[in-house]
Amino acid sequence: MQRYVARNWVPLGSLSLLLGVCGCSGESLRELFDTSTPHERYEQRLQDVGLDQTALGREWFAAASDALDSSLAVSAPYREESYLDPRRAMASGYRVSLRRGQRVEVMFESEPDGSYRVFLDLFMIPRGSAAPPRRLASADSLERRLDHVARRDGNYLIRIQPELLRGGRYAISIVVRPSLQFPVSGHDTTAIRSWYGAARDGGRRRHEGLDIFAPRGTPVVAAADGVVRSTRPNNLGGNVVWLRDQLNRSHYYAHLDHHIVRRGDRIRVGDTLGFVGNSGNARTTRPHLHFGIYARGSFDPYPALYEPPTRTEDFTGDAGLIGRLVRVSLDRARVHTLPSTSADVLAELPLHTPVRVDAGTGEWFRVALPDGTIGFVATTLTEPVGSPVRSEIVATGAKLLTEPASTAVTVDSVAAGVEVGVLGAFGEFLYVEGPSGRAGWLGLN
């Protein structure tokens, strides 16, 4: 007798029982079956009370969007210390490249007294399209941890945003790991001798897996939890095991000497499925396991098995400078695209150029230049903006501005003939300490 499983309905009796046990109102029942993310639910609450129509609310929604549009490209493993100013609506975005089968893990850590809620969301950036990033996963706001297995190659985006009027110092770690255990006991990717995509039969077909060489009789183990779908032999693979994992991927273990599992067996990662051999069309080769993965066709298993470096560097600079201005202490100080001297150079800054420190990673500051450019500069090439480096007499009356741009907001004014302390310079503007003690930008023309 065939058994059918209902998937998309709830029996009325069960619904009544649920209401009776939970004492649910219509609103709480809606929340119970709600599939929206924590960030989306918070957005809705802001809209319900009209905060989305306030200046601060609009700033919060804009920050969420801007974090997707202007995310920072990083290379895993990556760790930085940064700051979310609770006086402003802020969000941070990080972009990382992943291969299909890799698992990305994101950890968020706040100060010991940082009990505020934070929303972690993972998006995929569509390739060759103007479509917006597609949300893939969200972290529980209390766990502050997110992990996801990439279903395709591409660029992925991590957004961090706290509740309104909340924030503080935080650290984020982004690590990439394999999603599968290596399928030959006691071996790793160095045992692979034939790669995915290699030509076979004179180019008539391609290799749809990896050949992992090991002595005959070496245990072949499950790369993930799953269910054995078939152990029927075939001409190419000889003695084989097909296993379906929890992500609906089909694993193919071929050329086994023999197997010890049966169709329908529930398997845990690391369980022995069989033993390395050279059955099937591998009879003339040394014993090895052919390992393949299929999900709407085959794909390269290597990224799902390879263990990249996972050790992140702790920030060694002055965390007290994060969120503040510093100035470069060397002429032609280089700003790089990534925290590495081998990364592309974005700019070479003149001595005493002020930059805002947004974060710290390893021996680097992530900084924003006065023109808005974001990059990395070595902490050893900076100094706090403290005492003036020289003085300047203002020839004609001038306005003191928030930014080095004629359209910036005026914070103070300086009368003609007044001497001001110069803290730094950028282009045609000086960063000075005004008569009232307030610092700002002063145009030279």
Side-chain angles (χ1 to χ4, degrees), residues 236-253:
L236 289 178
N239 297 320
V240 306
V241 171
W242 285 93
L243 181 142
R244 181 71 59 84
D245 71 15
Q246 294 177 323
L247 295 179
N248 212 32
R249 300 175 294 190
S250 293
H251 301 193
Y252 181 54
Y253 306 79

Side-chain angles (χ1 to χ4, degrees), residues 289-310:
L289 170 71
H290 170 94
F291 179 69
I293 308 181
Y294 295 79
R296 296 184 178 179
S298 67
F299 64 93
D300 188 357
Y302 184 75
L305 298 175
Y306 172 66
E307 295 199 29
T310 57

